[in-house]
Amino acid sequence: MADPVTLRSSTTQNGTAVQTVGKTAPTRTAKGNDGVNGSQSPVEDGASPAPSPATAFSVVCDDVHLTYRVPAPGGALKGSPTERFIGKMLGRKRRQIKQVNALRGVSFTAREGEAIGLVGRNGSGKSTLLRVIAGLLSPTQGRVWADSEPTLLGVNAVLVPQLPGDRNVRLGGLAIGLSPQEVESRMHEVAEFTDIGDAFTMPMSTYSSGMAARLRFAISTQRTPRILIIDEALSTGDEAFRKRSEQRVKQLRAEAGTVFLVSHSLDTIRSTCDRALWLDKGTLMADGDPTQVCARYLKAVAEGR
């Protein structure tokens, strides 16, 4: 296994209990002196089938919290009388600050070769968790460890809307580390995979959101990352594209990559992933077999919980 390259942390505390579902208990790293590494111990009975213990860990989230501080609506002015007077004179208002707990003590381990789907309502913390794993956000508390740099699907930073799709393929390919020769050799494959016809040579500014998502997916998966993070990309496009995307995810898994997938399509989670995490209001509610986790999530939604 490669040397760890990612460690984003702050002071850790004990994590919250997590319900697990499935058949065979997976293993989770017990906390050692550093709060992450330690001996392996089973989670509760009834968890999803786990990879062989010989399979290397790729990501460890240990008691991850993320708290946002935002102005409270309609809050009273704060500060001393003098500060409030000066603030009023200058037209400024010091509003109360509200804390929003986006993630609450999320802990789990992922192994090479796993495809892990995240389910939950809008605002439950799914995309936030992925961005913490990718290193785009730092946890307020807890640790995230990865054995290589996670790749968040999408190369928006280098794609230029005014350029045609094929030119953006060249830019995106170079951005993910392909050589110019490799980019050119895969151009036809990307064009076939996206299946957007003549639009491939038209400016991206003319693309629909679904066409742009197809192109980003095709570019990002031209190089097999050890850790790939996909946020909603498989929810776009027709049935044929979804099947091609699911097949590509399975290929990435076969090449020892770890895949994280967020999708509101539970059918996609069930057919693509071999493990699912259910988040609700930032708390990890269940971790295990996708079919059973999705069933429990749907039951909670139906009951209004």
Side-chain angles (χ1 to χ4, degrees), residues 64-112:
V64 174
H65 296 253
L66 183 66
T67 302
Y68 294 110
R69 292 171 58 83
V70 297
L77 295 177
K78 299 188 68 177
S80 67
T82 301
E83 289 175 326
R84 293 198 299 269
F85 174 77
I86 294 174
K88 288 181 180 179
M89 293 295 292
L90 296 177
R92 300 173 183 169
K93 293 184 178 180
R94 297 186 61 187
R95 305 179 68 181
Q96 290 182 338
I97 300 300
K98 176 183 178 182
Q99 289 193 348
V100 178
N101 298 311
L103 295 174
R104 305 167 184 256
V106 176
S107 297
F108 68 91
T109 59
R111 294 179 181 270
E112 292 182 358

Tab-separated table of all heavy atoms in Angstrom, residues 64-112:
chain	number	residue	atom	x	y	z
A	64	VAL	N	-15.446	12.293	12.605
A	64	VAL	CA	-15.377	13.527	11.829
A	64	VAL	C	-16.583	14.419	12.117
A	64	VAL	O	-17.733	14.007	11.961
A	64	VAL	CB	-15.288	13.224	10.317
A	64	VAL	CG1	-15.377	14.512	9.504
A	64	VAL	CG2	-13.976	12.503	10.012
A	65	HIS	N	-16.301	15.639	12.530
A	65	HIS	CA	-17.318	16.672	12.725
A	65	HIS	C	-16.989	17.847	11.817
A	65	HIS	O	-15.818	18.146	11.574
A	65	HIS	CB	-17.326	17.181	14.170
A	65	HIS	CG	-17.711	16.159	15.195
A	65	HIS	ND1	-18.922	16.173	15.849
A	65	HIS	CD2	-17.027	15.083	15.690
A	65	HIS	CE1	-18.974	15.167	16.705
A	65	HIS	NE2	-17.838	14.492	16.623
A	66	LEU	N	-18.023	18.513	11.334
A	66	LEU	CA	-17.823	19.756	10.592
A	66	LEU	C	-18.929	20.719	10.997
A	66	LEU	O	-20.115	20.420	10.850
A	66	LEU	CB	-17.855	19.527	9.085
A	66	LEU	CG	-17.569	20.782	8.249
A	66	LEU	CD1	-16.133	21.254	8.465
A	66	LEU	CD2	-17.796	20.531	6.771
A	67	THR	N	-18.537	21.878	11.511
A	67	THR	CA	-19.488	22.878	11.989
A	67	THR	C	-19.280	24.176	11.235
A	67	THR	O	-18.150	24.674	11.142
A	67	THR	CB	-19.308	23.124	13.500
A	67	THR	OG1	-19.489	21.884	14.204
A	67	THR	CG2	-20.319	24.138	13.998
A	68	TYR	N	-20.353	24.706	10.682
A	68	TYR	CA	-20.324	26.007	10.026
A	68	TYR	C	-20.835	27.061	11.007
A	68	TYR	O	-21.733	26.801	11.807
A	68	TYR	CB	-21.218	26.026	8.793
A	68	TYR	CG	-20.772	25.138	7.663
A	68	TYR	CD1	-21.493	23.993	7.337
A	68	TYR	CD2	-19.650	25.442	6.913
A	68	TYR	CE1	-21.090	23.178	6.286
A	68	TYR	CE2	-19.241	24.638	5.865
A	68	TYR	CZ	-19.969	23.508	5.556
A	68	TYR	OH	-19.575	22.710	4.525
A	69	ARG	N	-20.265	28.253	10.937
A	69	ARG	CA	-20.743	29.402	11.712
A	69	ARG	C	-21.345	30.405	10.737
A	69	ARG	O	-20.644	30.935	9.872
A	69	ARG	CB	-19.594	30.024	12.510
A	69	ARG	CG	-19.084	29.115	13.625
A	69	ARG	CD	-17.805	29.667	14.251
A	69	ARG	NE	-17.985	31.003	14.783
A	69	ARG	CZ	-18.487	31.281	15.982
A	69	ARG	NH1	-18.846	30.288	16.778
A	69	ARG	NH2	-18.603	32.525	16.402
A	70	VAL	N	-22.642	30.640	10.891
A	70	VAL	CA	-23.340	31.534	9.965
A	70	VAL	C	-24.140	32.548	10.770
A	70	VAL	O	-24.525	32.300	11.925
A	70	VAL	CB	-24.284	30.739	9.034
A	70	VAL	CG1	-23.502	29.773	8.171
A	70	VAL	CG2	-25.340	29.988	9.843
A	71	PRO	N	-24.401	33.729	10.191
A	71	PRO	CA	-25.217	34.728	10.900
A	71	PRO	C	-26.629	34.205	11.129
A	71	PRO	O	-27.251	33.633	10.243
A	71	PRO	CB	-25.217	35.926	9.951
A	71	PRO	CG	-24.029	35.722	9.059
A	71	PRO	CD	-23.889	34.242	8.914
A	72	ALA	N	-27.129	34.396	12.342
A	72	ALA	CA	-28.492	33.969	12.664
A	72	ALA	C	-29.478	35.001	12.140
A	72	ALA	O	-29.284	36.204	12.328
A	72	ALA	CB	-28.653	33.816	14.169
A	73	PRO	N	-30.535	34.573	11.454
A	73	PRO	CA	-31.524	35.542	10.939
A	73	PRO	C	-32.252	36.247	12.069
A	73	PRO	O	-32.700	35.615	13.019
A	73	PRO	CB	-32.475	34.653	10.127
A	73	PRO	CG	-32.328	33.287	10.722
A	73	PRO	CD	-30.898	33.186	11.162
A	74	GLY	N	-32.316	37.559	11.959
A	74	GLY	CA	-33.069	38.327	12.943
A	74	GLY	C	-32.447	38.389	14.316
A	74	GLY	O	-33.118	38.722	15.293
A	75	GLY	N	-31.149	38.049	14.431
A	75	GLY	CA	-30.497	38.045	15.725
A	75	GLY	C	-30.292	39.451	16.258
A	75	GLY	O	-30.171	40.419	15.509
A	76	ALA	N	-30.239	39.576	17.574
A	76	ALA	CA	-30.029	40.888	18.190
A	76	ALA	C	-28.576	41.308	18.041
A	76	ALA	O	-27.684	40.478	17.885
A	76	ALA	CB	-30.413	40.822	19.675
A	77	LEU	N	-28.354	42.614	18.084
A	77	LEU	CA	-26.987	43.121	18.022
A	77	LEU	C	-26.227	42.673	19.257
A	77	LEU	O	-26.765	42.604	20.364
A	77	LEU	CB	-27.008	44.649	17.952
A	77	LEU	CG	-27.639	45.264	16.706
A	77	LEU	CD1	-27.639	46.790	16.831
A	77	LEU	CD2	-26.891	44.838	15.470
A	78	LYS	N	-24.923	42.373	19.070
A	78	LYS	CA	-24.098	41.910	20.173
A	78	LYS	C	-22.970	42.893	20.409
A	78	LYS	O	-22.628	43.701	19.568
A	78	LYS	CB	-23.555	40.512	19.875
A	78	LYS	CG	-24.614	39.443	19.675
A	78	LYS	CD	-24.019	38.073	19.572
A	78	LYS	CE	-23.417	37.623	20.875
A	78	LYS	NZ	-22.881	36.248	20.809
A	79	GLY	N	-22.353	42.784	21.570
A	79	GLY	CA	-21.237	43.633	21.921
A	79	GLY	C	-21.596	44.556	23.068
A	79	GLY	O	-22.735	44.574	23.577
A	80	SER	N	-20.600	45.343	23.495
A	80	SER	CA	-20.818	46.290	24.581
A	80	SER	C	-21.721	47.420	24.087
A	80	SER	O	-21.907	47.610	22.883
A	80	SER	CB	-19.478	46.860	25.043
A	80	SER	OG	-18.917	47.669	24.014
A	81	PRO	N	-22.297	48.217	25.026
A	81	PRO	CA	-23.133	49.361	24.598
A	81	PRO	C	-22.389	50.307	23.664
A	81	PRO	O	-22.979	50.804	22.698
A	81	PRO	CB	-23.494	50.029	25.932
A	81	PRO	CG	-23.463	48.920	26.921
A	81	PRO	CD	-22.336	48.037	26.491
A	82	THR	N	-21.102	50.529	23.956
A	82	THR	CA	-20.324	51.421	23.090
A	82	THR	C	-20.181	50.833	21.695
A	82	THR	O	-20.346	51.543	20.687
A	82	THR	CB	-18.924	51.666	23.691
A	82	THR	OG1	-19.078	52.249	24.989
A	82	THR	CG2	-18.109	52.595	22.805
A	83	GLU	N	-19.890	49.509	21.625
A	83	GLU	CA	-19.733	48.860	20.324
A	83	GLU	C	-21.043	48.887	19.550
A	83	GLU	O	-21.051	49.106	18.334
A	83	GLU	CB	-19.256	47.411	20.517
A	83	GLU	CG	-17.818	47.300	20.998
A	83	GLU	CD	-17.424	45.864	21.289
A	83	GLU	OE1	-18.290	45.096	21.745
A	83	GLU	OE2	-16.255	45.522	21.066
A	84	ARG	N	-22.158	48.686	20.245
A	84	ARG	CA	-23.444	48.705	19.554
A	84	ARG	C	-23.754	50.117	19.046
A	84	ARG	O	-24.266	50.279	17.935
A	84	ARG	CB	-24.565	48.217	20.488
A	84	ARG	CG	-24.444	46.738	20.850
A	84	ARG	CD	-25.767	46.203	21.378
A	84	ARG	NE	-26.189	46.900	22.594
A	84	ARG	CZ	-25.873	46.515	23.827
A	84	ARG	NH1	-25.103	45.434	23.992
A	84	ARG	NH2	-26.324	47.171	24.872
A	85	PHE	N	-23.412	51.146	19.855
A	85	PHE	CA	-23.655	52.528	19.443
A	85	PHE	C	-22.819	52.876	18.216
A	85	PHE	O	-23.330	53.447	17.239
A	85	PHE	CB	-23.329	53.483	20.598
A	85	PHE	CG	-23.422	54.924	20.213
A	85	PHE	CD1	-24.658	55.550	20.078
A	85	PHE	CD2	-22.272	55.666	19.953
A	85	PHE	CE1	-24.744	56.879	19.710
A	85	PHE	CE2	-22.353	56.993	19.577
A	85	PHE	CZ	-23.589	57.605	19.457
A	86	ILE	N	-21.525	52.514	18.250
A	86	ILE	CA	-20.651	52.802	17.107
A	86	ILE	C	-21.129	52.046	15.879
A	86	ILE	O	-21.145	52.581	14.759
A	86	ILE	CB	-19.193	52.431	17.443
A	86	ILE	CG1	-18.656	53.353	18.551
A	86	ILE	CG2	-18.310	52.528	16.205
A	86	ILE	CD1	-17.277	52.976	19.039
A	87	GLY	N	-21.553	50.803	16.095
A	87	GLY	CA	-22.039	50.012	14.964
A	87	GLY	C	-23.247	50.637	14.312
A	87	GLY	O	-23.368	50.678	13.087
A	88	LYS	N	-24.173	51.160	15.147
A	88	LYS	CA	-25.367	51.807	14.606
A	88	LYS	C	-25.002	53.083	13.858
A	88	LYS	O	-25.565	53.385	12.807
A	88	LYS	CB	-26.349	52.107	15.725
A	88	LYS	CG	-27.032	50.873	16.298
A	88	LYS	CD	-28.013	51.250	17.399
A	88	LYS	CE	-28.705	50.025	17.968
A	88	LYS	NZ	-29.649	50.386	19.059
A	89	MET	N	-24.067	53.848	14.421
A	89	MET	CA	-23.652	55.089	13.777
A	89	MET	C	-23.017	54.823	12.412
A	89	MET	O	-23.176	55.603	11.472
A	89	MET	CB	-22.668	55.838	14.670
A	89	MET	CG	-23.274	56.354	15.964
A	89	MET	SD	-24.553	57.614	15.667
A	89	MET	CE	-23.538	58.954	15.021
A	90	LEU	N	-22.289	53.719	12.309
A	90	LEU	CA	-21.604	53.376	11.052
A	90	LEU	C	-22.486	52.517	10.144
A	90	LEU	O	-22.055	52.120	9.058
A	90	LEU	CB	-20.297	52.636	11.346
A	90	LEU	CG	-19.236	53.440	12.112
A	90	LEU	CD1	-18.022	52.563	12.401
A	90	LEU	CD2	-18.819	54.674	11.308
A	91	GLY	N	-23.676	52.230	10.601
A	91	GLY	CA	-24.578	51.425	9.778
A	91	GLY	C	-24.239	49.950	9.775
A	91	GLY	O	-24.635	49.210	8.889
A	92	ARG	N	-23.492	49.509	10.772
A	92	ARG	CA	-23.101	48.099	10.842
A	92	ARG	C	-23.956	47.379	11.881
A	92	ARG	O	-24.412	47.980	12.851
A	92	ARG	CB	-21.626	47.962	11.224
A	92	ARG	CG	-20.670	48.612	10.246
A	92	ARG	CD	-19.262	48.565	10.811
A	92	ARG	NE	-18.310	49.242	9.953
A	92	ARG	CZ	-17.071	49.534	10.310
A	92	ARG	NH1	-16.633	49.193	11.512
A	92	ARG	NH2	-16.262	50.160	9.473
A	93	LYS	N	-24.099	46.110	11.672
A	93	LYS	CA	-24.837	45.286	12.623
A	93	LYS	C	-24.023	44.043	12.951
A	93	LYS	O	-23.556	43.347	12.060
A	93	LYS	CB	-26.197	44.859	12.059
A	93	LYS	CG	-27.173	46.002	11.871
A	93	LYS	CD	-28.516	45.468	11.417
A	93	LYS	CE	-29.530	46.598	11.278
A	93	LYS	NZ	-30.850	46.081	10.844
A	94	ARG	N	-23.839	43.818	14.240
A	94	ARG	CA	-23.161	42.601	14.686
A	94	ARG	C	-24.234	41.592	15.074
A	94	ARG	O	-24.832	41.670	16.142
A	94	ARG	CB	-22.233	42.891	15.861
A	94	ARG	CG	-21.098	43.850	15.514
A	94	ARG	CD	-20.139	43.981	16.663
A	94	ARG	NE	-19.534	42.691	16.980
A	94	ARG	CZ	-18.750	42.488	18.035
A	94	ARG	NH1	-18.492	43.482	18.872
A	94	ARG	NH2	-18.234	41.303	18.265
A	95	ARG	N	-24.459	40.672	14.204
A	95	ARG	CA	-25.559	39.737	14.412
A	95	ARG	C	-25.068	38.517	15.168
A	95	ARG	O	-23.893	38.187	15.175
A	95	ARG	CB	-26.145	39.332	13.063
A	95	ARG	CG	-26.587	40.528	12.224
A	95	ARG	CD	-27.140	40.094	10.894
A	95	ARG	NE	-28.401	39.374	11.035
A	95	ARG	CZ	-29.083	38.873	10.010
A	95	ARG	NH1	-28.628	39.010	8.788
A	95	ARG	NH2	-30.216	38.253	10.210
A	96	GLN	N	-25.998	37.847	15.785
A	96	GLN	CA	-25.681	36.613	16.482
A	96	GLN	C	-25.211	35.559	15.483
A	96	GLN	O	-25.658	35.535	14.336
A	96	GLN	CB	-26.904	36.106	17.239
A	96	GLN	CG	-27.277	36.967	18.432
A	96	GLN	CD	-28.462	36.395	19.178
A	96	GLN	OE1	-29.246	35.626	18.625
A	96	GLN	NE2	-28.591	36.777	20.446
A	97	ILE	N	-24.316	34.719	15.945
A	97	ILE	CA	-23.762	33.660	15.096
A	97	ILE	C	-24.440	32.335	15.433
A	97	ILE	O	-24.573	31.963	16.611
A	97	ILE	CB	-22.242	33.543	15.287
A	97	ILE	CG1	-21.566	34.859	14.915
A	97	ILE	CG2	-21.693	32.405	14.434
A	97	ILE	CD1	-21.787	35.298	13.488
A	98	LYS	N	-24.863	31.644	14.405
A	98	LYS	CA	-25.513	30.350	14.567
A	98	LYS	C	-24.574	29.247	14.092
A	98	LYS	O	-23.901	29.398	13.070
A	98	LYS	CB	-26.811	30.311	13.747
A	98	LYS	CG	-27.533	28.983	13.742
A	98	LYS	CD	-28.760	29.048	12.845
A	98	LYS	CE	-29.484	27.718	12.775
A	98	LYS	NZ	-30.652	27.778	11.867
A	99	GLN	N	-24.509	28.148	14.833
A	99	GLN	CA	-23.684	27.011	14.446
A	99	GLN	C	-24.541	25.964	13.741
A	99	GLN	O	-25.614	25.604	14.220
A	99	GLN	CB	-23.013	26.382	15.664
A	99	GLN	CG	-21.903	27.234	16.256
A	99	GLN	CD	-21.054	26.464	17.245
A	99	GLN	OE1	-21.409	25.367	17.655
A	99	GLN	NE2	-19.928	27.027	17.621
A	100	VAL	N	-24.062	25.517	12.598
A	100	VAL	CA	-24.737	24.470	11.834
A	100	VAL	C	-23.828	23.249	11.816
A	100	VAL	O	-22.695	23.301	11.305
A	100	VAL	CB	-25.028	24.926	10.391
A	100	VAL	CG1	-25.677	23.794	9.598
A	100	VAL	CG2	-25.913	26.166	10.387
A	101	ASN	N	-24.304	22.158	12.385
A	101	ASN	CA	-23.509	20.921	12.452
A	101	ASN	C	-23.764	20.092	11.204
A	101	ASN	O	-24.732	19.342	11.115
A	101	ASN	CB	-23.866	20.136	13.707
A	101	ASN	CG	-23.558	20.905	14.974
A	101	ASN	OD1	-22.465	21.435	15.136
A	101	ASN	ND2	-24.528	20.989	15.878
A	102	ALA	N	-22.870	20.226	10.218
A	102	ALA	CA	-23.040	19.515	8.951
A	102	ALA	C	-22.676	18.044	9.075
A	102	ALA	O	-23.287	17.195	8.418
A	102	ALA	CB	-22.194	20.176	7.864
A	103	LEU	N	-21.675	17.723	9.910
A	103	LEU	CA	-21.278	16.336	10.162
A	103	LEU	C	-21.119	16.158	11.659
A	103	LEU	O	-20.545	17.011	12.343
A	103	LEU	CB	-19.963	16.000	9.449
A	103	LEU	CG	-19.977	16.030	7.924
A	103	LEU	CD1	-18.572	15.809	7.371
A	103	LEU	CD2	-20.937	14.981	7.351
A	104	ARG	N	-21.610	15.015	12.163
A	104	ARG	CA	-21.603	14.764	13.604
A	104	ARG	C	-20.976	13.409	13.910
A	104	ARG	O	-21.648	12.387	13.905
A	104	ARG	CB	-23.034	14.799	14.165
A	104	ARG	CG	-23.822	16.080	13.872
A	104	ARG	CD	-25.284	15.878	14.190
A	104	ARG	NE	-26.113	17.022	13.860
A	104	ARG	CZ	-26.592	17.881	14.753
A	104	ARG	NH1	-26.322	17.708	16.034
A	104	ARG	NH2	-27.338	18.899	14.390
A	105	GLY	N	-19.689	13.381	14.132
A	105	GLY	CA	-19.011	12.164	14.591
A	105	GLY	C	-19.058	11.007	13.619
A	105	GLY	O	-19.297	9.865	14.027
A	106	VAL	N	-18.808	11.252	12.342
A	106	VAL	CA	-18.855	10.197	11.331
A	106	VAL	C	-17.565	9.377	11.381
A	106	VAL	O	-16.462	9.927	11.273
A	106	VAL	CB	-19.051	10.787	9.920
A	106	VAL	CG1	-18.991	9.678	8.870
A	106	VAL	CG2	-20.370	11.542	9.846
A	107	SER	N	-17.701	8.062	11.533
A	107	SER	CA	-16.547	7.159	11.580
A	107	SER	C	-16.807	5.937	10.713
A	107	SER	O	-17.872	5.314	10.817
A	107	SER	CB	-16.268	6.701	13.021
A	107	SER	OG	-15.915	7.775	13.858
A	108	PHE	N	-15.877	5.611	9.840
A	108	PHE	CA	-15.939	4.379	9.054
A	108	PHE	C	-14.583	4.161	8.389
A	108	PHE	O	-13.743	5.068	8.343
A	108	PHE	CB	-17.049	4.427	7.989
A	108	PHE	CG	-16.788	5.420	6.884
A	108	PHE	CD1	-16.119	5.030	5.725
A	108	PHE	CD2	-17.212	6.733	6.992
A	108	PHE	CE1	-15.876	5.940	4.708
A	108	PHE	CE2	-16.975	7.646	5.985
A	108	PHE	CZ	-16.299	7.253	4.841
A	109	THR	N	-14.366	2.950	7.892
A	109	THR	CA	-13.163	2.650	7.111
A	109	THR	C	-13.583	2.114	5.759
A	109	THR	O	-14.607	1.438	5.634
A	109	THR	CB	-12.268	1.612	7.810
A	109	THR	OG1	-13.016	0.397	8.000
A	109	THR	CG2	-11.789	2.122	9.161
A	110	ALA	N	-12.815	2.441	4.739
A	110	ALA	CA	-13.049	1.928	3.385
A	110	ALA	C	-11.812	1.174	2.937
A	110	ALA	O	-10.683	1.566	3.257
A	110	ALA	CB	-13.339	3.083	2.425
A	111	ARG	N	-12.027	0.102	2.183
A	111	ARG	CA	-10.925	-0.717	1.695
A	111	ARG	C	-10.815	-0.629	0.179
A	111	ARG	O	-11.771	-0.272	-0.506
A	111	ARG	CB	-11.117	-2.185	2.113
A	111	ARG	CG	-11.044	-2.428	3.614
A	111	ARG	CD	-11.275	-3.904	3.920
A	111	ARG	NE	-11.243	-4.183	5.340
A	111	ARG	CZ	-10.141	-4.508	6.009
A	111	ARG	NH1	-8.987	-4.562	5.372
A	111	ARG	NH2	-10.180	-4.762	7.293
A	112	GLU	N	-9.645	-0.947	-0.318
A	112	GLU	CA	-9.441	-0.972	-1.765
A	112	GLU	C	-10.391	-1.980	-2.398
A	112	GLU	O	-10.573	-3.079	-1.886
A	112	GLU	CB	-7.989	-1.329	-2.090
A	112	GLU	CG	-6.993	-0.248	-1.692
A	112	GLU	CD	-5.578	-0.611	-2.078
A	112	GLU	OE1	-5.375	-1.717	-2.613
A	112	GLU	OE2	-4.677	0.206	-1.832
